[in-house]
Amino acid sequence: MRCWIPLIVLLLSLIFIPTIKADQPNIVIIYTDDFGYGDVGCYEGANVKTPNIDRLAKEGIKFTDAHCSAATCTPSRYTLLTGSYAFRNERARILAGSAGLIIDPKLDTLPRVLGNAGYKTAVVGKWHLGLGEGDVDWNGKVAPGPNEVGFDYHFLIPATGDRTPCVYLEQHRVVDLDPNDPIQVSYGKRIDFSPSGKEARDTLKMDWSHGHNSTIVNGISRIGWMTGGKKTRWVDEDMADRITEKAVDFIRQYKEKPFFLYFSTHDIHVPRVPHARFVGKSGMGPRGDCIIQTDWCVGQLLDTLDEMKLADNTLVLFASDNGPVLDDGYKDDANEKLGSHDPNGPYRAGKYSLFEGGTRTPFLARFPGRIEPGTTSAALLGQVDLPTTIAKLCDAKIPNSAFPDSRDATSTLFGKDKTGRPHLVHEVRGAQGLRLGQWKYVPKSTHDNLGPWINAKIPAGGALYDLSNDIAERKNLSQKEPAKLQELKDRLAKIRKSGDKE
Ligand code: NG6
Ligand code: CA
């Protein structure tokens, strides 16, 4: 019997070791923060130059009706990694910097499914899906997190640039942590008694306009309190360089294997603090300068793929997690210096809204040999379909229970199917709207008291728009077309109940 043991072990390992197939493409998702439809040079409305991002459109396909899954960050990211609409998880709302991980570590996520197919997987940049089990000890092993949901490697901005803790996290550990200066983080009770953003307002590098007035880090006050970790705190001006360097390193290191890189930029989220070499480059103040900084990051990644001779076998996607916002809590001249730039293109509203501006965002895909260069598609594409589509392209096995709302959109992505999804859910703060072809249902609950872009008098039963002749969603047809409105509501109720795969 003894002599059989090595053979049995060998056979078992052959069964369980992921098999790498020669033609498995690399996947790079460049996931930007708060980029609106018009915030990329090659889109309608833009008055900013983004030659590197535009290169993806020239060498690939540009979508004009592509949507993130929600009008804020956390739910969109949750859907991107799980293929499940965020309303199926009540915790998938904008998270505090102390929130616990909201992805169940048992789930078959996109990185896990790809990892099982032999991929090396990494997330570099903004996470904002929670870490640990809530109020984690930042001085020890911070887990569960990305590794426990399937990523091999992570280098993170734990929540957002405007939330404490203002430190990077690499493979479960705060980077450069000094044990003699432990970190504490609090949302709620004040723990930091050094002057706050409220008390030392006149000393700030960038003043706040609402919220964002607790602990001061790098001359900018944030949401949430933090003490300790003085040497580990990030310098906002270096953030794009730091994450780009890590992403480039990952590509170089795993050039021999198929890899999945989820590169999640901090820009153009607040606080917008570009590196000195981008300051003044857009003529639009920090928001525009951060767009140019992102374009530089994209250029670095594309150059690395060229240099490593990987471009031909790599699908590169460029997308955003929600629509645009101007003043999102800091006085950074986003409104004052906007000029003729239209962050939401021809669409209505932006971040936090279920009007098209909230979710219709730039989406570019480059895949040499598979996607024809210089194509434009008006097909309805939802990021919810990326997990299934990517897994299929990578020849990865999708377990039956995985990605409950995610369909195979390969032919849409490759520009062959010109219609795309028949319908698509949009969500924000637990409320959902629906696109059904040209029709759009917007519920009331989300649109009160949200500032001039978003405020809208939506009747209690919700509003209905016909995008075929009203892309700006100005003519509510709920009175005129009650049967159509009911059809959309019924469809939404069905999707809520039974998933959105069929
Ligand atoms: C809001 C913040 C906003 C931004 C947002 C999350 C205030 C007043 N506003 O609560 O600044 O941080 O959360 O943005 O604090 S997101 O892109 O990560 O969803
Ligand atoms: Ca965002």
Side-chain angles (χ1 to χ4, degrees):
M1 180 61 199
R2 261 211 177 147
C3 61
W4 285 99
I5 291 174
L7 187 64
I8 292 168
V9 170
L10 178 73
L11 282 174
L12 282 175
S13 65
L14 284 178
I15 293 168
F16 291 110
I17 284 180
T19 39
I20 298 169
K21 296 162 194 144
D23 56 351
Q24 284 177 304
N26 305 305
I27 308 291
V28 176
I29 300 181
I30 300 167
Y31 210 57
T32 58
D33 205 346
D34 298 0
F35 261 74
Y37 187 89
D39 282 326
V40 169
C42 62
Y43 276 86
E44 189 182 350
N47 188 17
V48 61
K49 289 198 168 54
T50 56
N52 294 299
I53 306 173
D54 294 358
R55 208 185 130 188
L56 293 171
K58 268 196 207 111
E59 297 172 2
I61 185 165
K62 167 181 146 184
F63 286 86
T64 57
D65 198 1
H67 295 255
C68 43
S69 305
T72 59
C73 156
T74 301
S76 278
R77 284 158 203 265
Y78 180 81
T79 303
L80 178 70
L81 297 183
T82 64
S84 169
Y85 285 131
F87 63 75
R88 302 199 193 285
N89 179 350
E90 282 199 337
R91 296 159 70 212
R93 311 271 179 101
I94 297 176
L95 296 175
S98 56
L101 178 67
I102 61 160
I103 300 179
D104 180 348
K106 291 194 288 298
L107 271 189
D108 288 303
T109 61
L110 177 60
R112 173 158 294 139
V113 164
L114 296 186
N116 289 341
Y119 277 69
K120 276 283 164 198
T121 58
V123 48
V124 176
K126 177 173 173 178
W127 180 241
H128 211 191
L129 290 163
L131 288 160
E133 276 150 12
D135 289 319
V136 74
D137 176 6
W138 296 94
N139 306 289
K141 179 176 178 183
V142 177
N147 292 16
E148 288 67 34
V149 302
F151 284 106
D152 295 310
Y153 174 75
H154 64 259
F155 183 88
L156 304 182
I157 296 155
T160 61
D162 54 347
R163 283 174 174 76
T164 61
C166 301
V167 296
Y168 300 111
L169 195 76
E170 187 171 31
Q171 297 300 76
H172 295 129
R173 303 274 167 189
V174 169
V175 173
D176 295 332
L177 182 68
D178 175 359
N180 296 317
D181 186 22
I183 293 173
Q184 260 202 304
V185 170
S186 167
Y187 281 72
K189 191 170 161 252
R190 182 167 183 174
I191 55 167
D192 168 25
F193 295 94
S194 62
S196 69
K198 241 186 211 163
E199 294 145 2
R201 196 163 181 176
D202 54 341
T203 67
L204 297 172
K205 191 188 285 186
M206 181 184 277
D207 196 5
W208 49 272
S209 56
H210 48 271
H212 303 96
N213 50 25
S214 301
T215 291
I216 299 177
V217 173
N218 188 31
I220 298 166
S221 50
R222 319 275 166 161
I223 309 174
W225 302 105
M226 172 179 180
T227 58
K230 287 276 187 310
K231 277 194 243 150
T232 77
R233 296 181 179 196
W234 65 47
V235 176
D236 305 72
E237 289 83 343
D238 293 342
M239 197 177 263
D241 286 347
R242 288 293 293 270
I243 60 172
T244 303
E245 192 188 346
K246 292 287 175 185
V248 165
D249 281 354
F250 175 79
I251 296 175
R252 286 184 196 282
Q253 194 179 345
Y254 291 108
K255 63 179 193 303
E256 308 297 342
K257 291 220 177 206
F259 61 78
F260 165 46
L261 170 63
Y262 168 40
F263 178 64
S264 172
T265 72
H266 169 252
D267 292 319
I268 50 176
H269 198 280
V270 296
R272 302 170 181 128
V273 195
H275 190 275
R277 65 188 191 279
F278 301 109
V279 171
K281 291 289 185 253
S282 67
M284 276 196 281
R287 187 175 185 278
D289 296 346
C290 284
I291 293 177
I292 292 185
Q293 178 164 273
T294 308
D295 187 64
W296 174 84
C297 301
V298 173
Q300 296 297 297
L301 261 54
L302 297 185
D303 288 351
T304 307
L305 292 173
D306 287 342
E307 191 195 316
M308 299 281 115
K309 305 209 175 341
L310 294 170
D312 282 349
N313 192 35
T314 302
L315 168 67
V316 180
L317 303 176
F318 176 94
S320 177
D321 68 341
N322 51 250
V325 58
L326 294 173
D327 179 343
D328 204 16
Y330 292 96
K331 294 184 184 171
D332 60 7
D333 286 341
N335 270 300
E336 294 78 354
K337 295 197 171 157
L338 194 60
S340 62
H341 181 77
D342 258 334
N344 50 3
Y347 300 104
R348 184 168 183 183
K351 183 173 181 177
Y352 309 115
S353 165
L354 289 184
F355 288 121
E356 290 286 287
T359 58
R360 196 190 285 225
T361 37
F363 191 94
L364 304 169
R366 184 187 81 170
F367 196 2
R370 307 289 288 275
I371 294 176
E372 189 146 343
T375 333
T376 298
S377 172
L380 181 60
L381 180 75
Q383 289 179 17
V384 63
D385 290 337
L386 290 178
T388 295
T389 307
I390 291 172
K392 293 247 165 163
L393 280 174
C394 297
D395 211 0
K397 188 174 174 326
I398 305 172
N400 280 341
S401 59
F403 312 156
D405 298 302
S406 182
R407 303 168 175 215
D408 182 359
T410 312
S411 65
T412 309
L413 187 69
F414 287 3
K416 298 199 169 57
D417 172 2
K418 312 250 186 261
T419 312
R421 261 185 169 265
H423 58 257
L424 182 66
V425 174
H426 308 318
E427 57 182 309
V428 74
R429 283 192 297 274
Q432 298 89 45
L434 187 77
R435 268 287 294 281
L436 178 67
Q438 78 212 56
W439 298 98
K440 170 83 176 283
Y441 159 60
V442 179
K444 172 173 169 55
S445 55
T446 56
H447 285 87
D448 300 326
N449 308 317
L450 279 174
W453 257 21
I454 303 179
N455 267 351
K457 289 207 168 25
I458 293 181
L464 178 75
Y465 301 97
D466 178 357
L467 300 182
S468 69
N469 57 41
D470 179 24
I471 52 164
E473 297 166 282
R474 295 287 165 189
K475 287 176 252 157
N476 172 21
L477 302 175
S478 61
Q479 298 287 328
K480 237 175 151 183
E481 304 269 3
K484 189 47 89 180
L485 178 62
Q486 196 54 46
E487 185 189 339
L488 269 76
K489 287 184 179 176
D490 290 348
R491 182 67 67 98
L492 186 56
K494 197 164 160 240
I495 295 166
R496 285 187 63 102
K497 203 164 154 220
S498 23
D500 198 6
K501 263 197 166 148
E502 305 306 324

